[in-house]
Amino acid sequence: MNMKKCNYVLFLARRYPAINKPAGVVHWLKYSKEAENVDWVVILDADMIIRGPIVPWEIGAEKGKPVSAYYGYLIGCDNILAKLHTKHPEFCDKVGGLLAMHIDDLRALAPLWLSKTEEVREDRAHWPTNYTGDIYGTGWISEMYGYSFGAAEVGLRHKINDNLMIYPGYTPREGVEPILMHYGLPFNVGNWSFSKLDHHEDDIVYDCSRLFPEPPYPREITQMESDHNKRRALFLNIECINTMNEGLLLQHAAFKCPKPKWSKYLSFLKSKTFAELSRPKHLTPQSRQMMEIEIHEEVNKEPEKPPPKIEVKIHKEVVNEPEKPHPKIHTIFSTECSSYFDWQTVGLVHSFYKSGQPGNITRLLSCTDEDLKQYKGHDLAPTHYVPSMSRHPLTGDWYPAINKPAAVLHWMNHVKTDAEYIVILDADMIMRGPITPWEFNAGRSRPASTPYDYLIGCDNILAKLHTRHPEACDKVGGVIIMHVDDLRKFALQWLHKTMEVRLDRSHWSKNITGDIYESGWISEMYGYSFGAAELNLRHVISDEILIYPGYVPKPGVNYRVFHYGLEYRVGKWSFDKANWRHTDLVNKCWAKFPDPPDPSSLDQTDNNSLQRDLLSIECATTLNEALRLHHERRKCPDPNTISTPKHDRVNQDRVDETRTNAETRTDAETRTSAETGTNAETRTSAESRTNADTKTDAETRTNAETRADDEIRTNAEARMAVETTTSTKFGGVDEVQAFRHDEMPKNSSQESSQVETSNGTFTSMRFWIMVLWGVSIFGFLGVMSVMLKGRKGLKKRGKGYKSKRRTTYSGFWDTNGQDRHLRNAETA
């Protein structure tokens, strides 16, 4: 075979009607001279980005065996649609997007591709989704079926590769390097998103210096995502849009557009970093792996033999319709601008990526303008900012829980999402596994949730007062899985009913609401249940989604979420989120919670208690793991590599309990007092040696000594404070519980990471203080001795000289006011 005369790549402008694609190929084959001089053809769509060479024979294409990407949603290959439109339905391959084939195969296929497209397009009776997989049911993908049915007619069997092409927003398989990106679907990175449909009528190519909105920078993605493979997916997303923007810049330059103004983003597009990220990619062994496609026959008779050199496995069995692709999911949770919610955010977001939850996650951050100006946690999660309603703008009522329905409503009204289902969580949760609508049977008008049995208001007068359908009130909350169309209708009801129940103070009592505090705090929960009842949204209630740490699990249940809203214990160790309301664990390097007991130390005799405690330990361990990874991303200094200065000679010892800290501080104060007494005796001896001087000189010297002593003592105390602070901050991992010993129970879990200075430190410090005081005293005596000798010398001079001296220098003395008593003595 004459290899590689030349390869020709066709870019098809895919606008409606999509029939232009096969029509364009037919026209090119018939009229283009280039088609006469090629052996291989690669056919792409216009909405693609090429990341590396696409060489047909290198990706496995052979004559009679083209290579293509997998389009699994073409379910018509397995049902009556294929039987209606091809004589060989068993040869129908679900392929598209990337096509690499020999020119002879394309010449045989192209006319049938066009005719089958027209045929399927006119078969309106079989446009519904259950026949075609087309979610719009409009016959839009007739061209794709035209290709598959045409290829089946001429006996072309494809080598199907699901690794060569990827949609931005999807996660690549481990070890796979896609060489083609197809941005036909919306995708996002954090709060930034891109959809080609938003630019359908956009003249951006001809609008000088205008680019698509800049995506996050690589360093932001590194901080955003710790999982290697998911981080690769985010890098692919920004590579796609950055490559398009780079192409726009080159096109604008070709149009002789004025040179664009400098910006940080333009500088990045011209940087070595971007050049390195966007360099051509090459196939990996995993990228070359083909899918193993087996052909299933639905009839008893033998099928016709395929063309030569085509190997097909025939299985004589009836097969069911393949499952439809799962709908997209988006997870959201509500927080406020506080350190309390920041550490919860770190824990939840870490567990989200670890759990394998499909889709993306967004934090709904409710803040006042004043709080937002000082807030530091912007980069903790992909975030949508919401005005705070903690203080109701009309009633003045302080009720932060209302921020949850208010934030969901704000997000629905301000954000476009392509997700079909929304999962709503609380910030004080840890995910253990995916929460999906298909697993927990959620559907349109049928949300799924977890039981909140204490919402007794669904069964009494409260429901009758606040909903027209009290019989539809479900006692649910915590985790919510709801279809996006239902949530659009429901969000406003949720907010209104929350405000309504909150204002109904006459029914806050425990016997009506089940609220043990009788404070109306769970008004938001009733707002949810009553709002859903208003719309007749009946829930699928599952007690296998959520568990509170400290509760005994049901045997064999794989709970997907921890909700650590209540205090829980393992032996003497305990955890209560309320005790950490005012502690900043996120911005203080290496801060974490008390470590739970080791699982090996648990009692193995009672299996129920053992399983309960293992789950409790898992929850706390996941929180600490999330904090550790957060501190690593912040590049906190490694406590094992930081040493204190040599002159401090601080012995960095860990203490086991907070009580030891107090004892050590008491000893330090005692030693400091002893040092003060010794130093006072030294000063007294020094003063007694100077009594021979004049009274005025003695007073002056005493004042000077007093000031010197005060300065030395102050400097010494400051140095001690600095040394103690330094050893505390850098001597080891600083766990926050050391500052909270009066709040937390004293048990084995409360080991402090504070570092104490040893006895040797104080002994060394006392020695140097005494030396400094001694040097200061003797230095002062030397200065005074020189001054006294100078005064005696002046008395030997004549009065004329003294008068002249006073006349010449009187301004100096008056200005400075120093040693004026010496000048008065001379005048006398």
Side-chain angles (χ1 to χ4, degrees), residues 621-731:
T621 302
T622 304
L623 278 170
N624 275 341
E625 179 187 28
L627 288 168
R628 177 183 61 80
L629 292 173
H630 166 74
H631 295 314
E632 288 179 359
R633 286 193 296 272
R634 289 184 61 208
K635 302 190 184 308
C636 284
D638 186 350
N640 297 321
T641 60
I642 297 179
S643 59
T644 54
K646 292 183 179 179
H647 65 271
D648 287 342
R649 293 189 290 181
V650 179
N651 181 19
Q652 300 175 349
D653 296 326
R654 283 186 178 273
V655 293
D656 294 330
E657 293 184 0
T658 308
R659 185 174 62 255
T660 309
N661 288 335
E663 293 172 355
T664 308
R665 284 196 296 273
T666 303
D667 294 342
E669 292 169 359
T670 304
R671 285 195 295 272
T672 305
S673 300
E675 291 168 11
T676 305
T678 304
N679 295 333
E681 293 173 2
T682 304
R683 280 200 307 277
T684 303
S685 299
E687 290 169 0
S688 64
R689 288 195 297 271
T690 63
N691 288 335
D693 295 329
T694 63
K695 181 178 180 180
T696 305
D697 295 337
E699 291 172 353
T700 304
R701 184 166 59 254
T702 302
N703 292 335
E705 287 175 351
T706 303
R707 286 195 300 272
D709 290 346
D710 290 339
E711 291 173 359
I712 292 170
R713 183 162 55 251
T714 302
N715 292 337
E717 291 172 351
R719 189 161 56 251
M720 290 168 62
V722 169
E723 290 166 351
T724 305
T725 302
T726 303
S727 66
T728 300
K729 186 174 182 180
F730 297 107

Side-chain angles (χ1 to χ4, degrees), residues 348-363:
L348 176 56
V349 172
H350 165 72
S351 67
F352 170 87
Y353 291 118
K354 187 178 177 181
S355 69
Q357 173 74 354
N360 298 308
I361 188 169
T362 297
R363 170 180 61 166

Side-chain angles (χ1 to χ4, degrees), residues 169 188 326-332 352 356-362 411 417-425 431 434-440 442 480-482 484:
N188 70 290
H326 291 312
K328 286 190 174 183
I329 304 173
H330 197 104
T331 303
I332 58 177
F352 170 87
Q357 173 74 354
N360 298 308
I361 188 169
T362 297
W411 183 74
T417 178
D418 62 341
E420 191 173 342
Y421 284 89
I422 309 299
V423 175
I424 305 175
L425 304 177
M431 294 187 67
I435 305 168
T436 59
W438 52 88
E439 186 169 359
F440 294 104
I480 300 161
I481 310 170
M482 186 176 289
V484 68

Side-chain angles (χ1 to χ4, degrees), residues 404-413 424 482 484-498 527-528 531-532 535 537:
K404 183 176 181 180
V408 172
L409 178 62
H410 192 277
W411 183 74
M412 292 300 299
N413 288 337
I424 305 175
M482 186 176 289
V484 68
D485 293 341
D486 295 331
L487 188 58
R488 285 194 181 97
K489 302 173 188 175
F490 165 71
L492 185 60
Q493 286 283 349
W494 186 4
L495 178 60
H496 282 173
K497 291 298 178 182
T498 298
Y528 176 89
L535 300 178
L537 294 175

